[in-house]
């Protein structure tokens, strides 16, 4: 009886290994989580809407993805909306009056109440800390 149990265990182990190999070969293996596209803004970008609204399906007028201070151009300066599609980087938005606001990962922000956006700094911190 002991030999039968050992043989049965080997068969179950072999079947489990074969099933695992077939799953891996079929591409059904879990992959790490990653942000997708939101509001028409592809990962890993921070997108701006100078005209239109992301809620109405309007495409972004500009996007940024590099981690440093950058002056906004005509398609992003003075934007009404900004969306941060990044997983763990905050986007510090600077205003012409000297203030700033942090747009955290996966956050859509309405900028108009804060002032006129003129620059962005994508930071390695979700809360825009140095």
């Amino acid at each position: 009886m002991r030999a039968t149990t050992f043989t049965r265990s080997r068969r179950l182990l072999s079947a489990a290994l074969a099933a695992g190999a077939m799953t891996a070969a079929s591409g059904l293996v879990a992959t790490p989580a990653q942000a997708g596209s939101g509001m028409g803004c592809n990962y890993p970008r921070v997108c701006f809407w100078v005209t239109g609204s992301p809620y109405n399906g309007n495409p972004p007028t500009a996007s940024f993805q590099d981690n440093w201070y950058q002056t906004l151009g005509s398609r992003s300066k003075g934007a009404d909306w900004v969306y941060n599609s990044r997983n763990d980087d905050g986007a510090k938005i600077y205003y012409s009056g000297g203030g700033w606001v942090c747009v955290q990962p996966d956050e859509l922000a309405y900028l108009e109440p804060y002032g006129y956006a003129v620059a962005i700094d994508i930071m390695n911190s979700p809360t825009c800390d140095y």
Side-chain angles (χ1 to χ4, degrees):
M1 180 138 177
R2 183 174 164 123
T4 305
T5 303
F6 178 73
T7 304
R8 191 175 307 150
S9 296
R10 279 186 75 178
R11 286 183 185 154
L12 288 174
L13 178 61
S14 295
L17 290 173
M22 286 189 291
T23 300
S26 69
L28 296 176
V29 178
T31 57
Q34 180 180 20
S37 298
M39 304 285 171
C41 182
N42 293 329
Y43 172 84
R45 298 185 181 276
V46 177
C47 296
F48 290 83
W49 286 261
V50 172
T51 57
S53 165
Y55 287 116
N56 295 333
N58 295 92
T61 54
S63 65
F64 295 81
Q65 70 178 25
D66 296 324
N67 285 51
W68 61 69
Y69 181 92
Q70 301 166 76
T71 303
L72 301 181
S74 62
R75 294 175 27 180
S76 53
K77 190 178 288 185
D80 289 335
W81 296 92
V82 63
Y83 175 69
N84 182 359
S85 73
R86 298 173 78 95
N87 288 331
D88 53 5
D89 299 329
K92 188 181 267 191
I93 309 298
Y94 293 90
Y95 296 98
S96 58
W100 59 271
V101 65
C102 181
V103 181
Q104 295 186 358
D106 195 34
E107 180 181 14
L108 175 67
Y110 186 59
L111 299 178
E112 190 175 308
Y114 299 103
Y116 190 80
V118 295
I120 182 173
D121 190 0
I122 299 174
M123 309 180 76
N124 291 326
S125 163
T127 57
C128 300
D129 294 329
Y130 285 104

